[in-house]
Amino acid sequence: DFDGVICDSIDECLLVSYNAFNEKSTIDNIDFSDIQEGIANNFKHYRYLVGPAKDFYFLWKSIFVHRETLIDIANIYLELKKSDINQELPFVERFYTLREQLKKKYFNHWASLNPFYEEIKNLLIKIKDKQNLFILTAKDTDSVVDLLNENNIDIRHSHIYGREINLDKRHLINKMIKNHGISKKDIVFIDDNISNLIEVKKIGISGFLATWGYNSDYDKNEADKNDIIPIKLSDLQSIL
C-alpha cells in the first residue's frame, strides 16, 4: 500500500478533503489557516476510519453535523456510511479536482504534505533490485510516481496499480498476478487498513498490518482474530 505505509499523507488529506466538504472550488489557504485546530485534531484522530477518498465525506459530516456527540464519532461515521449512500459522489469529484489543482499550482508544497516515513524511504533507496516490489494504492498512479521521484526512489511504473484501475485491492492484486505471472503464495501484502487485509486473505494472499499507519487498537484486535500479523517499521527489512 502507499498512503499510511510508504507515505504519510494525512496533511494533504486534511487540507483537500476539508475544502472539498465545504464545497470550495479552489484551496485559498494552503497553510491550513482556515481550519480550526480542534477540528483538525479530530480529523487526524479518526483518520484511521477512512479507506478511499469518498469516506472523508462521511468523516467530515460526522465531525461537523454531530459535534455535540463527538465522543461517539466512529459509530456516527459507520451509520452515515449506511444511510447516506451516494451522497458523497459530488464530494469525491471535488476532492480529486482540488487535489490536482493543488498539485499543479503548488507542487513543492503539495509534495511536502506527503512526506515519506523516513525508515521506509531509506529502506527503499537501499534495495537495489526492486523487480519484486509493487505498489497497490487508492492514490492515482501519476501522483505516486511524482512522490517517488521527489524522494529519489525508482520503482517501475508498470509495478504501480492506482485508483484509476480500481479501488478494490483484490482486483489490483489479481490484475498484478495476471500481468506479471506471479503466484499467490509468493505475495506478501503490507497495508495499514485491516479491512483490505481481511479481504485479500479471502483470495489467498498473506498480509501484514502496518501499525505505523492509520489504524487503531480495534484494527489490531481484528488482525489478531484473523491471524494477520501486525508489524512495526523495524520489522520491514526482514520482510522485504
Side-chain angles (χ1 to χ4, degrees):
D1 187 35
F2 190 72
D3 294 298
V5 175
I6 295 173
C7 168
D8 183 6
S9 60
I10 197 164
D11 283 334
E12 180 211 44
C13 293
L14 168 62
L15 183 64
V16 175
S17 66
Y18 174 86
N19 282 274
F21 184 79
N22 285 285
E23 301 184 3
K24 301 289 184 66
S25 58
T26 60
I27 299 177
D28 298 319
N29 297 307
I30 63 172
D31 60 355
F32 302 92
S33 59
D34 59 347
I35 306 177
Q36 295 177 18
E37 183 178 357
I39 289 175
N41 289 339
N42 286 327
F43 173 89
K44 291 182 178 183
H45 179 77
Y46 290 104
R47 167 64 180 86
Y48 70 89
L49 293 168
V50 174
K54 68 183 181 69
D55 291 348
F56 287 118
Y57 169 82
F58 301 111
L59 179 55
W60 279 119
K61 189 168 183 180
S62 302
I63 291 172
F64 278 113
V65 179
H66 302 281
R67 295 187 195 197
E68 71 281 1
T69 53
L70 198 56
I71 193 170
D72 201 28
I73 196 74
N75 288 330
I76 294 167
Y77 165 87
L78 294 172
E79 286 302 315
L80 286 173
K81 282 192 72 174
K82 293 177 185 176
S83 64
D84 290 13
I85 297 172
N86 293 332
Q87 289 193 24
E88 78 281 4
L89 297 180
F91 165 86
V92 173
E93 185 176 347
R94 284 193 302 273
F95 178 91
Y96 287 117
T97 298
L98 287 172
R99 189 170 77 176
E100 194 60 26
Q101 286 179 7
L102 179 68
K103 180 180 166 185
K104 286 183 176 178
K105 190 173 181 181
Y106 304 104
F107 181 85
N108 290 336
H109 182 69
W110 169 78
S112 75
L113 298 176
N114 289 275
F116 280 22
Y117 296 99
E118 197 64 30
E119 295 91 335
I120 300 280
K121 178 179 177 178
N122 293 337
L123 181 59
L124 291 177
I125 290 173
K126 188 185 299 184
I127 297 173
K128 300 302 180 187
D129 184 2
K130 298 184 177 67
Q131 65 175 347
N132 293 323
L133 286 178
F134 292 80
I135 294 174
L136 314 179
T137 176
K139 226 181 188 72
D140 62 285
T141 297
D142 286 345
S143 292
V144 173
V145 170
D146 287 337
L147 291 170
L148 288 170
N149 289 339
E150 280 293 295
N151 288 274
N152 300 310
I153 295 168
D154 181 27
I155 292 179
R156 297 177 190 177
H157 294 193
S158 62
H159 285 203
I160 301 170
Y161 289 74
R163 75 173 186 87
E164 64 279 357
I165 299 172
N166 202 286
L167 290 173
D168 189 328
K169 296 292 174 68
R170 293 168 301 179
H171 181 96
L172 296 181
I173 286 174
N174 282 328
K175 190 170 183 65
M176 179 186 76
I177 288 170
K178 181 180 178 181
N179 289 349
H180 299 275
I182 303 168
S183 172
K184 287 184 178 181
K185 67 180 178 61
D186 294 326
I187 297 173
V188 174
F189 181 51
I190 300 171
D191 201 321
D192 64 317
N193 186 303
I194 188 60
S195 297
N196 288 338
L197 291 166
I198 291 171
E199 290 304 310
V200 301
K201 187 175 182 181
K202 292 175 183 177
I203 62 169
I205 303 299
S206 298
F208 293 99
L209 178 66
T211 58
W212 60 89
Y214 315 126
N215 43 59
S216 65
D217 289 339
Y218 170 83
D219 298 312
K220 297 177 182 70
N221 290 334
E222 287 297 298
D224 186 52
K225 289 179 189 176
N226 288 276
D227 295 321
I228 294 169
I229 299 173
I231 59 169
K232 299 176 290 187
L233 277 168
S234 56
D235 299 324
L236 263 184
Q237 187 157 355
S238 61
I239 295 170
L240 297 180

